[in-house]
Amino acid sequence: MTASLQVQAEEAVSRLRIARSDLQTVEARAASTGLPPAVKESVSAFANTRGGLLLLGLDQPGFRPIDVDAPQLARDLASACAEDLDPPIVPDIDIVTIGGRRVVAALVDELPVGRKPCYLKRQGIDRGAYVRTHVGDRRLTSYEVHILVSGRGQPRDDVAVVEGAGRDHLAPGLVEALLRRVRSRKGPLLADAGDDEVLRMMNVLADGDPPGVSLAGLLALGRYPQQFVPQVNLTFVAYPTTQGEPLADGTRFLDNESIDGPIPTMLATAQAAVLRNITRRAVVSGAGRLDDWEYPEEVVRELVVNSLMHRDYHPLAHGSQVRIELYPDRLEVVSPGGLHGPVDRRKLMTEPVTSSRNSHIAKLLEDIEVPRTGRTVSENRGSGLIAVAASLRRAGMAPLHISDRIDSFRVVVRNRRLTPEEMDLSWDLQRSRRGSTGPPRRRDRRHEIRELLARGPRPSRELAQELGMTPQGILRWLRMMEATGEVRPTESARRSPMNRWQLIER
């Protein structure tokens, strides 16, 4: 027997019984009459998400072991994974013992990006691929299937020729600034090339008579790109409440702007929109009193650049904007399309990202200046989130909370400054998640807390009892998770006897 699988199964059963439901990474089935057909959907979902553990021989409710033909179940499961799924899945399958009875345990690893999605052959790739959520398996949408398939290679959506767009739809000032900068940096390479030839070499113009314009060229240099792609823009909304509900007088937004134009213009306008809706706060240091923005300017800039440069520009995503949402306690930036390519999510804020969905846009933005700043849009070194992490830490704020879904990428910045103890806890856990050498100084309780809250809000005293913690200990964790955008209280008055803690689902 695989000792580690036995231990994992025992721990998983304990978590199931605490949560009183299946979990995002654990699925239990009775399988009293043989292999349930829905098991294949769960294997597909685990392989397409973060992996997971499947347990066969546990009845619900209570997750108690029952009598099953464990050897036959194990054989049937292995056969179904190999023959009914594409690509075939080879889980680590063993028979473990729970409560003195045999249970089949199967550990399914997440597939590499280049092999997703895993789907049921009988249903086909469009209807047979699943993803795992905290409430079970969900069939992938057509757009999500597209995202996973596109992750196998380098998309070319950003160099698609935009129907109807020509050289005269580019902004002369942006084009002239680009040509001037490129020639100053790469003069010998472009000595004998005319303007249009340089623009072709940079994939702004496409061959034709008259020459066409690529989507990358239009978005980076266009006079008004939304003439051709109306929804490929950016929206900014400042909400008056932390939940986004209207005020008692009916006020829904404190500020609301649809931001159009080429990428450099959208960046400048979005930064201005955020800054006019946030405050400066006084910070006393050894040098005296300094005024600092509620959110560091560099953080705002890098998050907007990241969203515009790396969002999905496939035609299926042309109806979705980048969204900037400002709440009284946080700033959120959401862009269409999750992470692209073989990117390690745990290291986004510590190592440069080497995979770019829109390589031609990224290359162009190295040399395109934001109007009246003398600064280019991007360095294109994959270090934007590293700079964000450094700025947040210097400002005494929590690490970014990142939610990477197949169809979207969301970052959340909380505006509360942390105490020294909270800083140590938040950043130490962030360090341990990225695989740093050496053990974390504290046990990471967040996973257990999330599982307890997955079925609904709970008071802190119940959480403390379930986890064997002190009231002060559970509150430290809840406040840290609130700072990173994972949970929130149901009542504005923290000491209210009605207060509960709930998950923030993204």
Side-chain angles (χ1 to χ4, degrees), residues 18 109 140 235 245 264-265 309 360 388 393:
I18 290 175
D109 290 331
L140 291 176
T235 59
E245 310 105 325
T265 299
M309 187 163 66
H360 297 91
V388 168
R393 189 158 194 169

Side-chain angles (χ1 to χ4, degrees), residues 28-36 39 55-58 66-69 73:
R29 299 274 180 173
S32 57
T33 59
L35 189 69
V39 162
L55 298 172
L56 303 178
L58 295 177
I66 61 175
D67 288 328
V68 295
D69 186 349
L73 275 177

Side-chain angles (χ1 to χ4, degrees), residues 174-182 202 221 364 367-368:
L174 290 175
V175 172
E176 290 167 9
L178 171 66
L179 292 171
R180 185 168 55 249
R181 180 180 174 84
V182 169
M202 300 191 71
L221 301 167
L364 268 176
D367 292 304
I368 292 179

Side-chain angles (χ1 to χ4, degrees), residues 372-497:
R372 295 177 296 280
T373 67
R375 182 177 180 181
T376 60
V377 174
S378 171
E379 294 178 350
N380 191 25
R381 298 296 182 268
S383 59
L385 292 182
I386 298 175
V388 168
S391 294
L392 290 175
R393 189 158 194 169
R394 285 194 299 270
M397 301 170 72
L400 285 178
H401 177 61
I402 294 176
S403 176
D404 170 35
R405 298 175 54 180
I406 295 173
D407 61 350
S408 64
F409 186 79
R410 179 189 298 264
V411 293
V412 181
V413 188
R414 294 278 165 171
N415 65 10
R416 185 169 69 88
R417 264 49 176 182
L418 304 182
T419 66
E421 182 185 21
E422 289 171 329
M423 280 288 291
D424 286 345
L425 180 60
S426 297
W427 289 93
D428 188 43
L429 288 170
Q430 196 267 341
R431 177 184 64 85
S432 68
R433 286 201 305 276
R434 68 176 185 254
S436 176
T437 57
R441 290 178 291 185
R442 300 171 176 87
R443 178 179 176 183
D444 189 344
R445 291 278 195 174
R446 291 173 309 156
H447 192 73
E448 296 164 307
I449 294 171
R450 289 184 63 84
E451 288 175 349
L452 288 174
L453 296 180
R455 292 295 173 175
R458 305 276 291 275
S460 61
R461 65 178 181 277
E462 283 188 15
L463 296 172
Q465 291 169 359
E466 293 275 12
L467 297 174
M469 300 175 66
T470 65
Q472 296 80 8
I474 192 67
L475 283 174
R476 279 197 295 270
W477 279 97
L478 289 168
R479 287 167 183 158
M480 185 276 292
M481 293 175 69
E482 180 187 13
T484 55
E486 298 170 78
V487 302
R488 63 181 168 221
T490 58
E491 305 292 327
S492 56
R494 301 302 179 90
R495 296 185 180 274
S496 167

Side-chain angles (χ1 to χ4, degrees), residues 114-188:
R115 301 188 68 205
K116 292 181 181 179
C118 172
Y119 63 94
L120 279 64
K121 291 180 181 178
R122 180 174 53 85
Q123 297 178 6
I125 192 170
D126 291 327
R127 293 190 54 79
Y130 292 81
V131 68
R132 188 74 178 174
T133 71
H134 75 279
V135 294
D137 307 323
R138 174 180 64 78
R139 181 180 282 117
L140 291 176
T141 65
S142 297
Y143 177 62
E144 289 170 325
V145 171
H146 145 70
I147 289 288
L148 291 177
V149 172
S150 69
R152 298 174 181 175
Q154 179 60 58
R156 293 182 57 81
D157 301 315
D158 56 345
V159 288
V161 176
V162 180
E163 184 177 356
R167 176 75 155 80
D168 58 340
H169 292 101
L170 301 180
L174 290 175
V175 172
E176 290 167 9
L178 171 66
L179 292 171
R180 185 168 55 249
R181 180 180 174 84
V182 169
R183 286 198 166 101
S184 68
R185 294 179 62 229
K186 306 173 183 178

